[in-house]
Amino acid sequence: MEIGIVGLPNVGKSTLFNALTGSAVAAENFPFTTIEPNVGVVPVRDPRLYALSEIFHSKKTTPAGVRFVDIAGLVKGASKGEGLGNKFLSHIREVDAIAQVVRCFKDADVVDVAGDLDPVQSLEVIATELLLADLDQAQRLREKLLGSARSGNKDAKETVAEIERAVEGFNRGVAARRQGLSPGTQQTYQFLTGKPLLYVANVGETELAGNPLARQLIDYGAKEGAETVVLSAKIESEIAQLHEKERAEFLASLGLKESGLDRLVHAGQKLLRLLTFFTAGPEESRAWSISEGTTAVKAAGKIHSDIERGFIRAEIYSFSDIVRYKSEAALKEKGLIRLEGRDYLMKDGDVTYFRFNV
């Protein structure tokens, strides 16, 4: 599952992506530096994983990851072909959620494409372009399906009725995520305004403690039901270059417990409705990200298709129990290791060993 990093040109998207992934993506002071989307898998810092690795004296520790896609900057009129136009919109359509970066810093050396440092206006420019693209798509879908609906096809009739309601909503400026569209409709047609959304306020290096423009963004996001992460992409790119000990010391000097990138990755997990289960032992402790509602047999397939195919049962205990009792032997004595079947719904923090036979 992927989160697309979007925004107007020159708001700090590629700088943020560089910090997230350590990739050498161009981050120059002009629009459309990023034309083809760059993809990076960002490790999720989860203290539970490192606690397990310590308990089991694991030789290897492997975190879960969240995939971020750096997408080219959008400009007003993109839905009509301005800037990179449809190419930009098609890249957004392919991701599962959107992290919209908004410029909340002043810098005379960095061109402000919008011409006015107004975070809410920047949000509304992009929201309008996505809405217009969805309206155009819905109108085309309606025309395409009308023939089948008129011929008496029941499924087509139901789909056309829902698409017509969507067209009406888009004309009134209502995003797909607020229209109550069926999950199947959104999954099939991937309306841009139906994708989960969070905002990223990119502030100046000295403004982490308080920035009035970021405050506007937080208030706007609260009304829209969208979380806002405040960070300085420039500082994050510096933090990303530090070794772990130096990183912790630098964060402490800023009065921070975790970096803005860590907060963004955790917000991304929440946005995608992901949970984490673990496998742990002397060879490796590893975290795995899965969607909420994933069954044990499908979680097994996340590790290897053979484990899913030959699934017998899952031996599961909670992270809190292993931290308390320190060994699997102690958990067995207390009856805290459960045997679960293929339809068991995995929970966040499950530590699991899959029995299988192929």
Side-chain angles (χ1 to χ4, degrees):
M1 301 182 76
E2 295 179 336
I3 299 175
I5 301 175
V6 306
L8 298 174
N10 292 351
V11 298
K13 299 183 309 302
S14 292
T15 301
L16 177 61
F17 183 81
N18 290 349
L20 278 166
T21 65
S23 301
V25 179
E28 304 297 337
N29 179 27
F30 53 86
F32 313 125
T33 300
T34 307
I35 297 176
E36 293 300 330
N38 301 286
V39 181
V41 179
V42 183
V44 179
R45 293 177 183 272
D46 191 326
R48 297 176 297 180
L49 174 64
Y50 300 98
L52 286 171
S53 188
E54 187 174 334
I55 289 169
F56 286 93
H57 306 289
S58 303
K59 296 177 184 175
K60 185 178 179 183
T61 304
T62 307
V66 174
R67 290 169 64 91
F68 283 88
V69 183
D70 181 28
I71 298 174
L74 175 148
V75 294
K76 189 174 182 179
S79 60
K80 303 299 181 184
E82 294 293 326
L84 295 175
N86 292 330
K87 193 169 188 178
F88 169 92
L89 297 171
S90 69
H91 291 155
I92 298 180
R93 208 174 298 283
E94 292 169 3
V95 300
D96 301 287
I98 296 171
Q100 184 172 335
V101 182
V102 181
R103 178 174 171 173
C104 295
F105 66 89
K106 296 179 181 179
D107 189 335
D109 295 327
V110 179
V111 177
D112 182 6
V113 174
D116 184 17
L117 198 56
D118 183 335
V120 172
Q121 183 183 56
S122 297
L123 290 179
E124 291 177 346
V125 166
I126 290 187
T128 298
E129 294 305 321
L130 299 186
L131 199 66
L132 289 172
D134 280 349
L135 174 61
D136 180 65
Q137 181 193 9
Q139 288 173 330
R140 291 172 184 271
L141 283 170
R142 180 177 59 186
E143 294 305 311
K144 182 179 178 181
L145 295 169
L146 271 177
S148 297
R150 286 169 177 162
S151 68
N153 185 301
K154 183 180 178 182
D155 291 339
K157 279 185 177 180
E158 291 175 355
T159 301
V160 166
E162 186 163 31
I163 295 299
E164 286 180 338
R165 290 195 297 273
V167 168
E168 182 184 344
F170 295 146
N171 274 317
R172 290 187 287 108
V174 181
R177 72 178 65 85
R178 297 169 60 189
Q179 289 192 32
L181 298 178
S182 68
T185 295
Q186 175 60 31
Q187 185 175 6
T188 300
Y189 301 115
Q190 293 293 310
F191 290 120
L192 302 176
T193 61
K195 295 180 181 294
L197 174 70
L198 66 83
Y199 300 134
V200 181
N202 186 14
V203 303
E205 295 173 80
T206 61
E207 299 173 328
L208 285 172
N211 176 296
L213 297 177
R215 183 73 256 174
Q216 290 180 32
L217 194 62
I218 291 169
D219 293 341
Y220 184 92
K223 292 177 184 176
E224 293 293 308
E227 184 175 351
T228 300
V229 176
V230 180
L231 53 75
S232 168
K234 197 167 183 180
I235 287 181
E236 296 300 331
S237 63
E238 295 171 3
I239 293 174
Q241 305 303 315
L242 299 176
H243 293 296
E244 194 66 30
K245 185 178 179 181
E246 294 173 322
R247 181 178 177 276
E249 290 173 352
F250 185 69
L251 288 172
S253 72
L254 296 174
L256 301 173
K257 292 183 178 180
E258 61 178 351
S259 72
L261 297 187
D262 288 342
R263 286 185 282 111
L264 176 57
V265 170
H266 293 145
Q269 280 189 303
K270 181 179 176 183
L271 192 67
L272 292 172
R273 301 185 62 163
L274 300 178
L275 57 83
T276 302
F277 78 92
F278 303 94
T279 52
E283 291 300 315
E284 181 183 33
S285 287
R286 183 163 181 169
W288 305 85
S289 287
I290 53 175
S291 301
E292 291 179 6
T294 298
T295 60
V297 68
K298 290 300 181 183
K302 177 81 174 179
I303 299 173
H304 199 285
S305 58
D306 282 349
I307 303 178
E308 179 180 0
R309 184 161 55 89
F311 182 94
I312 298 173
R313 66 177 181 271
E315 299 176 5
I316 297 176
Y317 52 85
S318 71
F319 168 78
S320 59
D321 285 338
I322 189 67
V323 167
R324 181 178 180 185
Y325 294 106
K326 304 301 183 185
S327 74
E328 290 184 340
L331 296 183
K332 287 179 181 177
E333 285 181 11
K334 295 185 177 298
L336 294 174
I337 298 181
R338 312 185 311 273
L339 300 181
E340 302 289 358
R342 59 190 298 115
D343 295 327
Y344 167 76
L345 296 181
M346 300 293 291
K347 295 181 176 60
D348 188 65
D350 279 347
V351 185
T352 308
Y353 179 77
F354 293 106
R355 296 282 183 186
F356 70 104
N357 183 38
V358 289

